[in-house]
Amino acid sequence: MKESLRLPITECKMLDNGKKALIVDGRPFLTLGAQIRIDRWVIQAGWTYERLSEIGIVGWAKKLNCNTVQIPLCWKEIEPAQGRFEWSALSWMLLECRKYELKLEIVWFGSNVCGAGWHSMTPDWITGDPERYTRIFFQDGTALGADTIHPSDGQKYTLCVENPYLLEAERHTITSMMAYLHEHDKEGIVIGFQVENEPSLVQHNPVLHETDRCHCARCNSLYKEGGYDNAFDFSKDSLTGYLDTVASFVKASSHPLFTRVNWIHPYLDLGFDEDTDRVLRNAPHVDCVGYDTYGKSQAEIYELLTGDLSLKRGNAPHLGELEGGLHGCAEKIMDLLAANGVGVSVYQLAGYVDADDNYLLYPTGKDARPWSEEVRLTYGMLNKANEALARSRNSVGSEIRFFNGEGQTNPAFSGTQVLGDYEISYDSKEGGIGISLLNEGDIVLMSYKRGSFAITSFTANRAENGHFASSGEWKKTMEKACQIVDGKAVVALHAYEVVKLVRP
């Protein structure tokens, strides 16, 4: 696939310190977002876009201090007939994000969402033409999913991603979408493109591990030509190639963007075809691999972020769907930063009915969970130093250190770490997580819950509460007490404060 001759609108770039950062508007940027299932509100709940504008649902993301929203865009909605595009949904997203000064990541609901091309998402002209757009087949020649109906998304269609007609159709659609953005998104509201969603060729929600590979005639031939003796290896290579191909459509377009893919338990845990190593090695157009956290503890998620999905493997860790219906969001968000991640998206912002699950806000926009406030305050704190956090790498001897996180957060903590030339201690009796950051020679401190810092050999005699502006300039809010005790600069932080130590 020929790359675009245009400079990327956004990109994942290696910085001088070895950190991978998402570059937005020319500066490192940490996405602190929430996914909004607008497709559910429109398709299942029957809301119009006008009504959604009236209640200001996109603006609700501001109630959680998000800087970004992740919104699914269904192929069926933008191309109801082949070659006839309807841009009203995408136009609405741009308008609402512009109104509330939010960035947007497109979650592409194309031909493989949780292993299928669902009736609610995939155009009828594709699902209705099985001779041209072939299915994934069992070994006996029957199509997968023929009898499966999802309660929200309708009939399941499992489409073979080796089919050249499907690839060409998706290429034309994505290229057209990027051309539309190039003409209508001059401000750079859209910053990323999620390639499909929890994709798979062998696991098709809600049936676990339906097949080992596609057994259509084309895939049988490719399997034989490739000299495979393991069906899962074939599926892993096929899925990796497909994801890279879809991402390449974005990169080769008139509006090249940052791209990512998200894995999920149990596809990853049980050794299905979501294979990080293959994607990092053989999918150069996919900028990063993320993880959807359902059912995983803080320790398990951090192990993934610093292991299979880690910077040391060349990846920029991402939490594609942080389970919003589970307490402990703040600890997992902080751990993403400690793992040198580039972004997070809480799933999900709001339910379209009160009985819906995994949401933080009711259909009225009011808090639905005790920990909605936890996400709000954590995002609010991190946005005060967004660029500094986005470009700082957490490693021994580097410019940022974390206390009482990285897989385990204790109810009471006391510990010491080295930051540059300084020894820094952090104490919190409330289970706080501390961050110490070197920024152009200054020390910046922040604490999730209350905590105190003591810095050896740093000759500060006062401190300031404040934040960093979008330009990177520090903005003082108020003076903050700082004492020198036994040669150490000591400062106590309230929960969610950001404080800079000031030299005399």
Side-chain angles (χ1 to χ4, degrees), residues 183-194:
E183 291 299 319
H184 296 87
D185 184 22
K186 301 298 185 182
E187 310 99 312
I189 290 169
V190 180
I191 63 171
F193 185 95
Q194 180 181 305

Side-chain angles (χ1 to χ4, degrees), residues 83-364:
R84 179 171 65 82
F85 293 102
E86 298 287 348
W87 300 118
S88 55
L90 183 54
S91 174
W92 180 86
M93 294 176 194
L94 292 174
L95 179 65
E96 295 298 302
C97 288
R98 185 180 296 116
K99 182 191 306 182
Y100 297 106
E101 299 182 329
L102 289 161
K103 296 296 187 181
L104 170 64
E105 285 186 283
I106 292 173
V107 180
W108 178 235
F109 279 5
S111 60
N112 193 301
V113 178
C114 300
W118 299 98
H119 179 263
S120 67
M121 304 172 189
T122 311
D124 293 343
W125 54 269
I126 286 181
T127 59
D129 191 356
E131 296 298 319
R132 186 174 181 81
Y133 304 103
T134 52
R135 307 282 193 266
I136 293 175
F137 287 113
F138 286 115
Q139 196 164 5
D140 66 5
T142 58
L144 275 67
D147 300 318
T148 301
I149 306 293
H150 190 278
S152 297
D153 297 311
Q155 175 66 49
K156 177 172 68 175
Y157 300 96
T158 52
L159 300 166
C160 176
V161 299
E162 297 291 353
N163 183 295
Y165 299 111
L166 179 67
L167 293 175
E168 174 55 26
E170 202 153 4
R171 183 202 65 77
H172 184 252
T173 303
I174 291 172
T175 300
S176 300
M177 185 198 316
M178 296 298 112
Y180 178 86
L181 289 177
H182 185 67
E183 291 299 319
H184 296 87
D185 184 22
K186 301 298 185 182
E187 310 99 312
I189 290 169
V190 180
I191 63 171
F193 185 95
Q194 180 181 305
V195 183
E196 302 298 344
N197 180 72
E198 300 168 8
S200 178
L201 307 180
V202 302
Q203 145 56 20
H204 305 96
N205 178 296
V207 180
L208 188 66
H209 188 186
E210 276 189 283
T211 186
D212 53 1
R213 68 174 178 88
C214 175
H215 292 270
C216 74
R218 179 175 285 103
C219 285
N220 285 341
S221 177
L222 291 171
Y223 186 85
K224 183 178 180 180
E225 291 172 7
Y228 289 93
D229 57 12
N230 183 290
F232 270 114
D233 281 343
F234 175 80
S235 293
K236 290 176 179 181
D237 284 342
S238 184
L239 180 63
T240 298
Y242 167 68
L243 295 173
D244 187 59
T245 298
V246 174
S248 77
F249 300 154
V250 177
K251 299 296 188 183
S253 74
S254 59
H255 203 74
L257 295 169
F258 164 73
T259 58
R260 63 178 176 88
V261 65
N262 58 320
W263 293 158
I264 187 173
H265 161 80
Y267 303 11
L268 187 64
D269 291 1
L270 299 181
F272 292 158
D273 50 347
E274 291 190 342
D275 189 306
T276 304
D277 185 65
R278 278 177 167 82
V279 169
L280 294 178
R281 185 177 67 242
N282 298 327
H285 299 97
V286 176
D287 290 319
C288 82
V289 180
Y291 184 70
D292 297 353
T293 65
Y294 303 103
K296 290 295 185 182
S297 68
Q298 180 187 2
E300 290 171 317
I301 293 169
Y302 191 71
E303 182 179 2
L304 276 167
L305 293 174
T306 55
D308 194 48
L309 305 178
S310 66
L311 177 63
K312 65 187 177 186
R313 299 190 65 199
N315 188 42
H318 193 284
L319 291 180
E321 292 180 19
L322 176 61
E323 186 175 6
L326 181 67
H327 185 61
C329 283
E331 288 88 345
K332 294 167 186 175
I333 293 167
M334 301 286 273
D335 275 2
L336 172 81
L337 301 185
N340 298 304
V342 296
V344 59
S345 171
V346 176
Y347 187 91
Q348 57 180 311
L349 179 72
Y352 61 92
V353 293
D354 285 347
D356 196 8
D357 60 0
N358 285 322
Y359 58 85
L360 293 176
L361 303 177
Y362 285 120
T364 60

Side-chain angles (χ1 to χ4, degrees), residues 388 391-392 397-401 419-422 424 436-445 458 468 503:
R391 60 177 160 77
S392 299
S398 68
E399 62 271 74
I400 189 168
R401 301 302 290 157
L419 176 71
D421 297 329
Y422 308 105
I424 300 183
S436 60
L437 169 69
L438 275 176
N439 185 74
E440 297 181 353
D442 294 322
I443 291 181
V444 178
L445 307 170
F458 191 83
F468 289 96
R503 297 176 185 271

Side-chain angles (χ1 to χ4, degrees), residues 442-458:
D442 294 322
I443 291 181
V444 178
L445 307 170
M446 54 194 83
S447 182
Y448 159 66
K449 299 183 179 178
R450 289 189 297 181
S452 64
F453 290 88
I455 300 94
T456 301
S457 302
F458 191 83

